[in-house]
Amino acid sequence: MSAISVENLCKTYRNGVKAVDGLSLRIESGEIFGLLGPNGAGKSTTVRVLATLTAPDSGVVQVAGCDVLGDPHGVRRRIGYVAQASGVDKWATGRENLTLQAQLQRVPSATITARVEEVLKWLDLLDASDRIVKTYSGGMKRRLDLGMGLIHQPHVLFLDEPTTGLDPETRAALWRDLRRLRQEQKLTVLITTHYLDEADQLCDRLAIIDHGKVVVTGSPAELKKKVGGDTVVSLDDVYLHYTGHRFDAGEWRE
């Protein structure tokens, strides 16, 4: 069974904007899968539907074996969601943030302390766990965000532009954390990003979305090979080939 299955998803907002128009994709268990596309392409709307934050107009959408309309509570129990904006309380400690999130996610009381300790250690935040988050660096805050999305051991993790604003070294460290998650916990990760190098280096497969539809899906290497043949190309060239216009970093910002 696929971790995420989307068939002919459609979503139109009240202002008449058709955000998603017949989108279909499948994401296998244990994959790091990327969604790429310009502002307004439908990436964020798709993720919001998958996370049960907005209802689709039509289509069949299943996450971790649960239907988003038929069993939204089942979906929520099985997913973690890390938004682009940080959700941590900067006036609480790292340990307090994780403990509160564990309680909100109904982690059994008897296991919360051990689970928080495990996550802090895994994210290399144990030494800073009893400091207030206001004193954390940007990279530490982002790792804490990741920990809050993982505290209840979800089957699927949604990451909305997780490395925006981070320096290259911190971005690379977060990539290593995500690869380790996939390897050690077989976690499925769906990531939206406007960094082409991030999609190229991090994602097992990716989908380019334009005007609410999936234009092409495949691994970064497969997509570059289809476009370039024996010539080395970049994902920028792939994007140009399938959408008709070149990547503009500004327009990718959601």
Side-chain angles (χ1 to χ4, degrees), residues 3-6 9 35 43-56 61-64 66-69 71-83 105 152 156-160 190:
I4 296 173
S5 175
V6 182
L9 172 63
L35 292 183
K43 303 189 308 296
S44 293
T45 298
T46 298
V47 173
R48 288 179 61 83
V49 169
L50 292 171
T52 73
L53 296 174
T54 190
V61 182
Q62 293 187 331
V63 178
C66 299
D67 187 271
V68 297
L69 290 178
D71 187 12
H73 295 295
V75 173
R76 292 167 195 155
R77 286 194 298 269
R78 291 167 173 79
I79 66 170
Y81 185 90
V82 179
Q105 293 288 358
H152 57 300
V156 178
L157 179 66
F158 297 116
L159 300 177
D160 188 7
L190 176 60

Side-chain angles (χ1 to χ4, degrees), residues 15-224:
N15 59 6
V17 173
K18 181 172 283 188
V20 183
D21 184 14
L23 183 144
S24 298
L25 59 84
R26 287 184 181 273
I27 301 174
E28 302 305 320
S29 180
E31 276 194 305
I32 299 178
F33 192 95
L35 292 183
L36 303 180
N39 185 26
K43 303 189 308 296
S44 293
T45 298
T46 298
V47 173
R48 288 179 61 83
V49 169
L50 292 171
T52 73
L53 296 174
T54 190
D57 295 333
S58 61
V60 179
V61 182
Q62 293 187 331
V63 178
C66 299
D67 187 271
V68 297
L69 290 178
D71 187 12
H73 295 295
V75 173
R76 292 167 195 155
R77 286 194 298 269
R78 291 167 173 79
I79 66 170
Y81 185 90
V82 179
Q84 183 178 345
S86 177
V88 303
D89 180 352
K90 66 180 181 179
W91 296 110
T93 68
R95 188 184 302 276
E96 288 169 342
N97 270 279
L98 288 174
T99 300
L100 176 60
Q101 187 69 8
Q103 293 168 342
L104 292 173
Q105 293 288 358
R106 299 183 181 179
V107 175
S109 300
T111 66
I112 286 179
T113 299
R115 178 60 183 159
V116 168
E117 195 80 4
E118 178 185 9
V119 172
L120 287 168
K121 184 177 181 180
W122 190 87
L123 293 173
D124 196 24
L125 290 174
L126 198 56
D127 290 343
S129 61
D130 295 314
R131 286 166 41 197
I132 62 171
V133 173
K134 184 176 172 62
T135 68
Y136 284 16
S137 67
M140 293 169 68
K141 289 177 184 176
R142 206 56 181 149
R143 295 207 306 276
L144 183 60
D145 272 318
L146 182 59
M148 291 176 70
L150 294 169
I151 192 68
H152 57 300
Q153 298 179 296
H155 299 284
V156 178
L157 179 66
F158 297 116
L159 300 177
D160 188 7
E161 298 188 9
T163 62
T164 297
L166 299 182
D167 61 82
E169 184 177 354
T170 303
R171 287 176 63 210
L174 189 58
W175 294 350
R176 288 194 297 271
D177 287 340
L178 291 174
R179 292 191 192 101
R180 191 152 51 101
L181 268 176
R182 187 262 313 277
Q183 181 178 355
E184 295 178 1
Q185 301 183 24
K186 308 301 181 185
L187 181 70
T188 303
V189 180
L190 176 60
I191 179 174
T192 68
T193 180
H194 62 271
Y195 292 125
L196 295 181
D197 61 332
E198 184 163 76
D200 199 357
Q201 297 187 40
L202 181 61
C203 296
D204 299 307
R205 289 193 306 136
L206 57 91
I208 293 177
I209 298 178
D210 198 27
H211 295 96
K213 298 178 180 290
V214 173
V215 179
V216 65
T217 304
S219 72
E222 289 170 346
L223 297 183
K224 288 186 286 187

